[in-house]
C-alpha cells in the first residue's frame, strides 16, 4: 500500500483509507460506491447522485439540509458520478474545517454523522423516494441529457467512443440515456438504491491533520453500511486485433466540424510501456508545444483546436479537433502523418523533456488539493497499482526515446468520426 496511508478492512468489501497530513486546514472524506457500468444501471446511478443532495429523514427540506451543513462551519458536501473504464463510481464527498482551527473538537464526528445521514437516510415516502424531489431531479436529468448535444466537441467524443466500443460496457455514457430516465419512477429507483447499498464495493478515504486510525472501529457503526455481497468487476477488454478503420460521418446543423480519431494502442496500464505511451501522447498532442498543435494548428492553420489523450483502461488514444468542414480530409491525412512520424522517431530530446516535465508537473500538483489526493489514490487502487508518486516520477524521468518508440509500435487507427454540417442522416462505411 501507499506510504502514509493506513488501510482498515471494515467488513466484506468495505475498506477505510486514512492519510494524516499537516498540509491542509480542512479534513476531507470521500465515499466511493463501485458499480459495473451498464446500460441498465447508468441512468439510475446518475439519478441517485442528484437525489442524494436534496434532503434526508432528519432534514427533509433542501434548505434545512444546507443550513445544517452551514452550522458545521460551512461544511461542503457534493455527489458525483464518474466513469473509470467499465466501472461507474457513485461518489459522496465532504470537506470541513479541521478541529485544530475552530472551537469544536467534535466537528469530525459531527460531519461523519451528517454524511451518514445523507447516504443512508435519504428523504423517502414509504418504499419510494419523495415524489416531488424525484420528479424535479428527473426533469433536470432529462434537460441535462438533452443538452449534451449542445457541447459539440464532447458529443463528437462520446459518439466516437460509442462507435469504437459498440456492444461493450465502455460505450455506455456515465450520465445514462434519455429512454431509461423516462422509464424511471420513484419506487423503482429506491429499490435500486437499496441494491446499491447492499451489493457495492465501498471505499472510504479520510484526509486529515489528525490521526484518524483510532477512529476506524467506529466508522462502520456510524456509517451504517448494509453491504451484504458484491460481485467482483472484471478487468476490461483492452487488447484488440488490427482491422480496417471505420469511418463515420454524422450531419448536424453546426458552424464548425468536429473530428475525433480513435486509435488502439494495445498497451495495458499494467504494462511497463504504459508510461512511455503517455510520453508519446504528450509529445503528439499534449499541449501548445505538441506536434499536432504546432504543425496542424499553428503552421498549417487547419484547425481551431487539437489535442490527444490516452484512455488508460481501454488502451486507446484519441485525437480530437475543431475544423472547417472542407478541411476534414486534409486534417485526417496530416494527423496520420504526424502519428507516423512519431512512430518513426522524428522528435528530439527537447520534445522528450517538455513532455516529461509536463507529466511530472501534473503529478506534483496532486498534492495541492485533498480532493485530488483522494481521487488520485482511488484511481490507483482501482488499477491495483500501489506505486508511490515519487517512484512514478522517477520512472518518467528514466524514459528514453527508444522506449517511446517501442510503445508506439502497436498503435493503429480504429475509428474516424466526423460531425459534419447540415442534415440528420448518418452515413457509414
Amino acid at each position: 500500500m501507499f506510504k502514509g496511508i493506513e488501510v482498515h478492512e471494515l467488513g466484506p468489501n468495505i475498506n477505510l483509507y486514512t492519510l494524516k497530513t499537516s498540509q491542509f486546514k480542512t479534513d476531507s472524506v470521500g465515499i466511493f460506491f463501485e458499480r459495473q457500468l451498464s446500460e441498465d444501471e447508468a441512468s439510475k446511478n446518475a439519478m441517485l447522485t442528484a437525489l442524494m443532495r436534496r434532503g434526508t429523514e432528519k432534514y427533509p427540506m433542501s434548505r434545512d439540509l444546507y443550513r445544517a451543513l452551514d452550522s458545521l462551519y460551512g461544511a461542503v458536501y457534493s455527489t458525483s458520478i464518474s466513469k473509470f473504464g467499465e466501472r461507474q463510481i457513485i461518489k459522496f464527498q465532504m470537506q470541513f474545517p479541521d478541529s485544530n482551527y475552530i472551537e469544536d473538537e467534535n466537528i469530525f464526528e459531527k460531519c461523519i454523522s451528517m454524511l451518514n445521514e445523507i447516504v443512508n437516510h435519504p428523504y423517502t415516502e414509504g418504499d419510494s423516494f419523495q415524489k416531488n424531489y424525484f420528479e424535479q431531479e428527473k426533469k433536470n436529468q432529462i434537460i441535462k441529457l438533452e443538452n449534451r448535444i449542445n457541447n459539440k466537441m464532447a458529443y463528437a467524443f462520446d459518439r466516437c467512443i460509442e462507435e469504437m466500443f459498440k456492444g461493450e460496457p465502455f460505450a455506455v455514457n456515465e450520465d445514462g440515456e434519455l429512454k431509461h430516465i423516462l422509464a424511471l419512477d420513484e419506487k423503482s429507483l429506491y429499490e435500486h438504491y437499496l441494491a446499491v447499498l447492499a451489493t457495492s464495493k465501498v471505499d472510504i478515504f479520510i484526509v486529515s491533520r489528525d490521526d484518524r486510525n483510532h477512529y476506524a472501529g467506529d466508522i462502520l457503526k456510524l456509517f451504517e453500511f448494509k453491504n451484504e455481497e458484491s460481485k467482483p468487476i472484471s478487468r476490461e477488454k483492452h487488447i484488440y486485433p488490427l482491422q480496417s478503420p471505420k469511418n463515420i460521418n454524422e450531419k448536424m446543423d453546426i458552424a464548425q466540424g468536429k473530428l475525433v480519431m480513435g486509435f488502439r494502442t494495445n498497451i495495458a496500464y499494467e504494462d511497463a510501456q504504459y508510461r512511455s505511451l503517455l510520453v508519446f501522447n504528450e509529445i503528439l498532442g499534449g499541449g501548445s508545444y505538441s506536434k499536432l498543435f504546432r504543425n496542424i494548428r499553428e503552421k498549417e492553420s487547419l484547425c481551431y483546436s487539437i489535442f490527444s489523450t490516452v484512455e488508460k483502461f481501454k488502451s486507446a488514444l484519441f485525437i480530437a479537433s475543431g475544423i472547417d468542414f472542407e478541411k476534414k480530409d486534409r486534417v485526417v491525412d496530416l494527423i496520420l502523418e504526424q502519428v507516423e512520424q512519431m512512430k518513426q522517431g522524428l522528435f528530439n530530446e527537447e520534445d522528450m523533456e517538455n513532455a516529461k516535465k509536463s507529466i511530472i508537473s501534473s503529478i506534483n500538483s496532486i498534492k495541492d488539493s485533498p480532493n485530488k489526493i483522494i481521487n488520485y489514490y482511488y484511481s490507483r487502487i482501482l488499477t491495483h497499482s500501489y506505486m508511490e508518486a515519487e517512484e512514478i516520477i522517477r520512472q518518467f524521468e528514466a524514459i528514453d526515446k527508444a522506449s517511446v518508440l517501442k510503445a508506439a509500435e502497436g498503435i493503429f487507427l480504429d475509428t474516424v468520426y466526423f460531425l459534419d454540417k447540415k442534415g440528420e442522416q448518418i452515413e457509414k462505411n
Side-chain angles (χ1 to χ4, degrees), residues 154-189:
Y155 174 82
F157 217 107
D158 287 345
R159 288 287 297 117
C160 184
I161 287 174
E162 288 171 5
E163 293 292 340
M164 188 168 170
F165 298 96
K166 186 172 289 186
E168 300 181 43
F170 189 67
V172 176
N173 190 289
E174 66 267 37
D175 288 323
E177 294 297 331
L178 191 57
K179 63 181 179 181
H180 296 298
I181 293 290
L182 290 170
L184 274 178
D185 59 57
E186 62 274 21
K187 188 173 189 300
S188 62
L189 185 63

Side-chain angles (χ1 to χ4, degrees), residues 244-274:
S244 299
K246 292 177 284 188
N247 288 282
I248 298 161
N249 286 350
E250 186 171 9
K251 298 188 176 183
M252 193 179 291
D253 188 12
I254 53 176
Q256 185 188 109
K258 303 297 180 187
L259 174 69
V260 183
M261 299 171 69
F263 295 78
R264 308 284 188 188
T265 72
N266 283 342
I267 297 178
Y269 57 70
E270 301 95 333
D271 196 306
Q273 291 182 344
Y274 177 69

Side-chain angles (χ1 to χ4, degrees), residues 23-261:
Q23 191 173 345
F24 310 108
K25 295 182 178 178
T26 57
D27 289 355
S28 293
V29 181
I31 305 174
F32 299 80
F33 288 77
E34 179 183 298
R35 307 295 296 174
Q36 171 74 62
L37 182 63
S38 71
E39 185 174 346
D40 178 56
E41 271 205 16
S43 302
K44 299 173 185 174
N45 293 334
M47 271 288 289
L48 281 180
T49 61
L51 266 178
M52 304 294 280
R53 50 177 174 254
R54 293 303 305 270
T56 71
E57 287 180 8
K58 191 174 181 180
Y59 308 104
M61 304 295 287
S62 294
R63 65 170 181 270
D64 297 334
L65 174 60
Y66 286 92
R67 281 174 181 167
L69 289 167
D70 285 343
S71 72
L72 295 172
Y73 293 86
V76 177
Y77 159 71
S78 63
T79 62
S80 61
I81 200 85
S82 302
K83 177 178 173 179
F84 288 79
E86 294 178 353
R87 291 174 170 83
Q88 191 181 23
I89 308 300
I90 306 169
K91 180 182 173 184
F92 302 88
Q93 190 150 354
M94 187 176 285
Q95 190 168 354
F96 45 92
D98 185 87
S99 57
N100 290 294
Y101 296 92
I102 57 175
E103 295 180 353
D104 187 344
E105 62 182 15
N106 297 316
I107 184 68
F108 181 82
E109 289 82 355
K110 290 178 180 176
C111 285
I112 291 292
S113 294
M114 173 61 85
L115 202 47
N116 177 67
E117 170 74 13
I118 293 169
V119 175
N120 284 311
H121 300 283
Y123 186 26
T124 59
E125 293 175 336
D127 57 357
S128 303
F129 280 114
Q130 203 275 336
K131 187 172 181 60
N132 287 341
Y133 284 167
F134 173 83
E135 293 299 337
Q136 290 169 12
E137 293 304 331
K138 181 176 180 178
K139 184 178 180 181
N140 290 338
Q141 196 67 10
I142 289 171
I143 293 171
K144 180 179 180 180
L145 292 174
E146 288 176 340
N147 286 340
R148 223 163 53 184
I149 202 168
N150 292 333
N151 184 337
K152 299 299 187 295
M153 192 73 256
Y155 174 82
F157 217 107
D158 287 345
R159 288 287 297 117
C160 184
I161 287 174
E162 288 171 5
E163 293 292 340
M164 188 168 170
F165 298 96
K166 186 172 289 186
E168 300 181 43
F170 189 67
V172 176
N173 190 289
E174 66 267 37
D175 288 323
E177 294 297 331
L178 191 57
K179 63 181 179 181
H180 296 298
I181 293 290
L182 290 170
L184 274 178
D185 59 57
E186 62 274 21
K187 188 173 189 300
S188 62
L189 185 63
Y190 185 68
E191 290 170 353
H192 175 69
Y193 159 76
L194 295 177
V196 167
L197 289 182
T199 62
S200 299
K201 179 176 180 289
V202 182
D203 291 300
I204 307 164
F205 285 78
I206 297 175
V207 176
S208 174
R209 290 184 72 87
D210 292 325
D211 182 359
R212 300 298 180 187
N213 291 302
H214 69 280
Y215 203 70
D218 296 328
I219 289 285
L220 184 61
K221 187 185 298 180
L222 280 171
F223 272 129
E224 302 175 37
F225 286 127
K226 304 172 180 66
N227 188 301
E228 298 168 357
E229 59 178 334
S230 62
K231 295 179 183 176
I233 298 176
S234 303
R235 174 72 166 95
E236 300 86 350
K237 177 183 177 183
H238 55 278
I239 302 297
Y240 296 84
L242 178 64
Q243 59 184 12
S244 299
K246 292 177 284 188
N247 288 282
I248 298 161
N249 286 350
E250 186 171 9
K251 298 188 176 183
M252 193 179 291
D253 188 12
I254 53 176
Q256 185 188 109
K258 303 297 180 187
L259 174 69
V260 183
M261 299 171 69

Side-chain angles (χ1 to χ4, degrees), residues 337-372:
E337 183 180 298
Q338 291 300 311
V339 172
E340 192 56 36
Q341 286 184 7
M342 283 285 299
K343 294 173 75 170
Q344 292 173 6
L346 297 181
F347 57 93
N348 57 33
E349 281 305 312
E350 184 179 359
D351 296 323
M352 288 281 297
E353 290 308 308
N354 285 337
K356 289 195 284 185
K357 283 180 182 176
S358 175
I359 293 170
I360 291 170
S361 174
S362 177
I363 295 173
N364 282 326
S365 72
I366 292 166
K367 295 179 290 187
D368 298 338
S369 156
N371 288 346
K372 284 184 179 179

Side-chain angles (χ1 to χ4, degrees), residues 285-297:
S288 59
Y289 51 81
S290 69
K291 295 286 187 183
L292 294 175
F293 189 90
R294 283 187 289 158
N295 292 316
I296 299 180
R297 185 183 187 278

